[in-house]
Amino acid sequence: MDQNRKGLTSPYFKYSLSGLQRILTLTNTDKLSSTYGCSHRDYWLYKTSDFPDSVRNFSSHSFALASVHKYFSIKERDFFGDIAKASILFWMKTQHKDGSFDEFYPYERGWVGPTAFTLYSNIEGYKLIKDRFSNKEKEKIFLTVRKAASYISLGDKEGDDLANHHAMAYLALIKSYEILDDQWVYKKSLVAFENYLKYNFYDEGWSLEYDGIDPGYLSASCSFLSKTLNVIQNKEILDLVKIYSKTLKMFCYPDGCFAGPIGSRNTMHLYPFGFELLSSIDINIDYLAKFSRFSLETGNNVLPDIMSDRYLHYRVEEYLVTDRLFQIGKANLDGEFKMQKENKVYLHKAGIYHQNNSDFFLTVNLAKKFVIDFYSKKNDTYEYDRLSFTGIRILDRSGLYTSQNISKKTKFKKEKNLLKVEGYFGKVPTENSFNLIKNLIFRFLLLFCSRSTKASNLLKRFIRKILMFSRNKKLYRLEASLDLNTLILDINIFSNKSAKTIDLQVGSNISDRYVPQSRFSRVSDLNLKQSLIDEKTKNSFITALRKKNKLNFNLKLK
């Protein structure tokens, strides 16, 4: 789509255009097809999937937003309106009797992902094009919404411990209340909000994602919560976005990168809606809004262009709904982004240390046993040299081990100008892949789940546990400290006598935890080496672990 055509209302719209065209390509636009409106190309065209992933029909809202955007001609808007309607109607057909939907596999019956996510987007899409539906179709939509809202109201049965999911549950229920006008749904939404607050660390300004702070999903929570404010003016949400923004500033890097392996879920996507909507009420929120726009232009933002087909729909929708704020005058492009000058913060519960001054920008995650993002300023210019340290990875005969794992047994503290960490490496659980036999066994289990919501929830809880969390095996132990005066990281690794070290990596850009919305390629990442040591040094480290069962070395950040 032509980015030079008149009508570009914001940079978010500019950077969503090619993604919107991709979503159209992923969608079946054949009106005579039984899968008309399906946005899962692997299912309707390639036939490589045996079920339609409902998350792909998150696209309904994007199509509906395009159908009311003046950038497009009348014919184009009408086309998008038709596709938005078809997308909503197809989404409805994929719903289970219990109100749930599937994303990764048949009979998944996901709670927030995908049920709450797609409920929100399809309600918002419906509101924009509701005049296109007959009364009978509207009745079916309301029934679909009611069933999905009822399923979401049952709460988390998957044991995911993801704050952003609880924020989305609240958003989906608030939007359901808006179109159903049902007090029962409203009461359930309040319960969902209370459940979200259970994951909130108000004193430090963050919320839990599995076992720690994750900036990408914290920005998502800001977006989801902010999207409820046009229905219910919840002052507590304004306070939450304010304190979250103050924390998120520590992950807004000088080159436009945002977070990454430093978070508990390694995410690097920034959700801008909440910050653009509320930028006028708080200086820290305004900082995030301006950084978001700055990041778009640097090539270091996770744009729709670099996202996979599965998650492209989320990013395009977020950009288009943020762009609409500029269309209706609720956001503006005033002011350029300027880096904060001085800041020093230590969040003990999160294990995050941050320092920014005229010489450097430093953010450290101690809970991940030293994951470091460091930027050193070049003389008196606005340019920085980047160094990223994502921990130690050791390939042993028994598997791959990482120092990145988060464990309650890890000890970390700040003593004056010294940061200290002590803990065991975790075994990476995601090295195993499907083969034919495993796939047949898995499909057999899914047939059993076809008749039981409870069985589906238990299976997903089990899958999440084995994929997301490292196994604590006391084979390798780390003791490390960072001197904040000299900026020297002192690292000691101790191996058990049963350890059989094969290879070793001092990482700079690797994320070990399985998180589908991670590991995107940013321009700045291309300049990083996969390992911070050369081959000769690496071999000497491996020898030391094999012969002496211990290793000591230093890394100088600057």
Side-chain angles (χ1 to χ4, degrees):
M1 294 181 180
D2 185 8
Q3 292 187 350
N4 296 315
R5 188 199 295 185
K6 292 182 180 180
L8 293 175
T9 40
S10 76
Y12 299 106
F13 185 69
K14 173 184 175 182
Y15 286 104
S16 65
L17 279 175
S18 58
L20 182 62
Q21 190 167 9
R22 265 182 68 198
I23 293 176
L24 270 177
T25 299
L26 296 172
T27 304
N28 187 355
T29 57
D30 179 2
K31 291 186 177 182
L32 298 183
S33 172
S34 61
T35 56
Y36 174 46
C38 175
S39 291
H40 189 186
R41 190 178 175 93
D42 295 341
Y43 174 72
W44 67 263
L45 182 61
Y46 300 150
K47 313 300 182 186
T48 55
S49 176
D50 55 1
F51 79 104
D53 170 6
S54 65
V55 158
R56 312 301 175 101
N57 281 75
F58 199 84
S59 56
S60 304
H61 193 200
S62 295
F63 293 147
L65 286 164
S67 76
V68 296
H69 201 294
K70 292 183 179 179
Y71 169 86
F72 299 105
S73 68
I74 293 175
K75 287 184 178 180
E76 288 170 333
R77 279 180 262 166
D78 189 55
F79 172 79
F80 278 118
D82 285 344
I83 295 301
K85 177 181 176 179
S87 179
I88 292 170
L89 294 177
F90 184 82
W91 168 75
M92 291 164 54
K93 292 195 295 184
T94 64
Q95 186 179 44
H96 291 297
K97 290 181 180 179
D98 60 7
S100 66
F101 293 85
D102 299 329
E103 178 182 4
F104 286 102
Y105 51 84
Y107 307 112
E108 177 188 358
R109 306 178 198 272
W111 179 52
V112 165
T115 302
F117 275 98
T118 57
L119 177 58
Y120 149 74
S121 63
N122 280 276
I123 288 175
E124 292 297 275
Y126 165 77
K127 284 161 53 182
L128 289 170
I129 60 164
K130 60 184 178 182
D131 291 342
R132 291 176 176 269
F133 295 90
S134 67
N135 288 334
K136 189 174 182 180
E137 287 171 332
K138 289 179 180 178
E139 289 177 5
K140 290 182 179 179
I141 289 172
F142 291 156
L143 178 61
T144 301
V145 169
R146 190 174 297 278
K147 288 169 62 179
S150 178
Y151 186 80
I152 295 165
S153 72
L154 296 175
D156 175 23
K157 305 296 182 184
E158 302 167 0
D160 61 13
D161 290 330
L162 300 175
N164 87 90
H165 278 200
H166 290 270
M168 176 51 79
Y170 174 61
L171 171 59
L173 289 172
I174 283 291
K175 294 298 181 179
S176 299
Y177 161 70
E178 183 184 15
I179 68 167
L180 296 176
D181 193 23
D182 187 323
Q183 286 298 314
W184 179 85
V185 177
Y186 176 65
K187 290 178 181 177
K188 290 297 182 180
S189 72
L190 296 182
V191 173
F193 184 67
E194 290 301 316
N195 286 335
Y196 169 79
L197 293 178
K198 294 175 183 177
Y199 294 87
N200 180 48
F201 291 81
Y202 194 90
D203 56 334
E204 291 192 349
W206 60 282
S207 56
L208 191 70
E209 295 290 332
Y210 285 144
D211 39 25
I213 178 175
D214 185 80
Y217 279 116
L218 184 58
S219 77
S221 291
C222 290
S223 174
F224 303 158
L225 295 173
S226 298
K227 287 171 183 173
T228 67
L229 294 173
N230 69 328
V231 182
I232 303 293
Q233 281 294 320
N234 185 340
K235 184 180 180 299
E236 196 165 2
I237 287 175
L238 300 179
D239 293 336
L240 287 172
V241 178
K242 286 179 183 179
I243 62 168
Y244 291 164
S245 297
K246 187 176 181 180
T247 298
L248 287 171
K249 287 169 65 176
M250 296 186 285
F251 304 95
C252 296
Y253 300 148
D255 61 353
C257 285
F258 178 72
I262 201 163
S264 65
R265 299 184 67 194
N266 312 315
T267 56
M268 50 186 70
H269 52 262
L270 177 62
Y271 281 72
F273 180 87
F275 309 124
E276 295 289 6
L277 175 68
L278 303 173
S279 63
S280 63
I281 70 170
D282 180 77
I283 188 172
N284 293 315
I285 298 177
D286 183 59
Y287 186 90
L288 266 293
K290 289 175 179 174
F291 173 80
S292 176
R293 282 175 254 138
F294 163 72
S295 180
L296 289 174
E297 304 297 338
T298 64
N300 289 318
N301 196 305
V302 180
L303 300 172
D305 290 354
I306 67 170
M307 298 198 79
S308 65
D309 291 349
R310 176 181 295 279
Y311 292 109
L312 167 69
H313 309 271
Y314 287 158
R315 182 71 11 199
V316 172
E317 189 271 347
E318 178 70 12
Y319 278 14
L320 288 178
V321 76
T322 302
D323 169 71
R324 189 158 175 79
L325 294 174
F326 293 87
Q327 295 178 53
I328 61 179
K330 290 189 175 182
N332 60 70
L333 298 173
D334 292 346
E336 294 183 356
F337 173 72
K338 294 182 180 180
M339 285 293 300
Q340 57 180 338
K341 293 182 178 179
E342 299 283 339
N343 197 18
K344 188 182 290 188
V345 181
Y346 178 55
L347 305 180
H348 171 69
K349 295 176 183 176
I352 298 294
Y353 176 81
H354 171 73
Q355 185 176 349
N356 180 36
N357 56 40
S358 58
D359 294 324
F360 63 82
F361 183 105
L362 170 70
T363 302
V364 181
N365 191 329
L366 298 170
K368 295 188 80 170
K369 293 186 284 295
F370 281 117
V371 171
I372 300 171
D373 283 316
F374 180 78
Y375 290 81
S376 177
K377 199 168 185 179
K378 294 181 180 179
N379 301 321
D380 294 326
T381 68
Y382 289 100
E383 296 182 358
Y384 291 79
D385 286 323
R386 178 187 175 191
L387 183 144
S388 289
F389 173 71
T390 54
I392 314 296
R393 309 171 82 228
I394 299 175
L395 182 61
D396 188 270
R397 285 187 183 177
S398 61
L400 179 62
Y401 292 81
T402 177
S403 64
Q404 271 190 33
N405 65 305
I406 298 176
S407 171
K408 292 180 180 179
K409 295 180 180 179
T410 298
K411 298 177 182 178
F412 57 83
K413 60 183 176 180
K414 179 180 182 295
E415 290 183 348
K416 296 183 179 180
N417 285 317
L418 203 65
L419 303 178
K420 291 184 176 182
V421 167
E422 180 181 336
Y424 286 94
F425 284 57
K427 187 175 182 181
V428 179
T430 55
E431 288 298 291
N432 294 322
S433 300
F434 266 110
N435 56 33
L436 180 60
I437 301 300
K438 289 180 182 178
N439 205 19
L440 288 172
I441 294 171
F442 184 58
R443 276 335 197 228
F444 176 78
L445 289 174
L446 295 181
L447 287 174
F448 177 72
C449 292
S450 67
R451 296 181 178 274
S452 172
T453 299
K454 186 176 181 180
S456 295
N457 294 156
L458 287 173
L459 177 61
K460 189 165 186 181
R461 181 187 287 260
F462 174 73
I463 291 172
R464 192 184 296 278
K465 184 177 180 180
I466 62 173
L467 280 181
M468 311 298 182
F469 297 97
S470 300
R471 300 168 188 173
N472 289 318
K473 194 172 181 180
K474 297 181 179 181
L475 204 60
Y476 296 94
R477 182 168 61 86
L478 176 81
E479 290 183 8
S481 62
L482 175 63
D483 189 317
L484 296 172
N485 290 324
T486 63
L487 294 176
I488 293 176
L489 178 64
D490 182 61
I491 298 173
N492 292 277
I493 301 174
F494 304 91
S495 60
N496 189 292
K497 290 183 179 180
S498 62
K500 304 291 182 182
T501 306
I502 298 174
D503 204 349
L504 180 146
Q505 186 181 62
V506 182
S508 65
N509 64 350
I510 297 296
S511 303
D512 281 313
R513 167 170 272 169
Y514 172 81
V515 179
Q517 282 215 71
S518 67
R519 300 194 186 192
F520 297 108
S521 179
R522 303 171 294 193
V523 172
S524 181
D525 296 331
L526 302 179
N527 296 311
L528 298 175
K529 296 179 180 179
Q530 279 211 333
S531 184
L532 296 175
I533 56 174
D534 58 31
E535 194 72 14
K536 183 178 179 180
T537 304
K538 183 189 75 170
N539 290 332
S540 68
F541 286 0
I542 294 172
T543 301
L545 284 174
R546 286 174 177 171
K547 294 184 176 181
K548 300 178 181 179
N549 296 113
K550 63 181 180 180
L551 167 66
N552 171 257
F553 66 98
N554 293 331
L555 281 178
K556 193 166 185 177
L557 302 189
K558 186 177 179 181

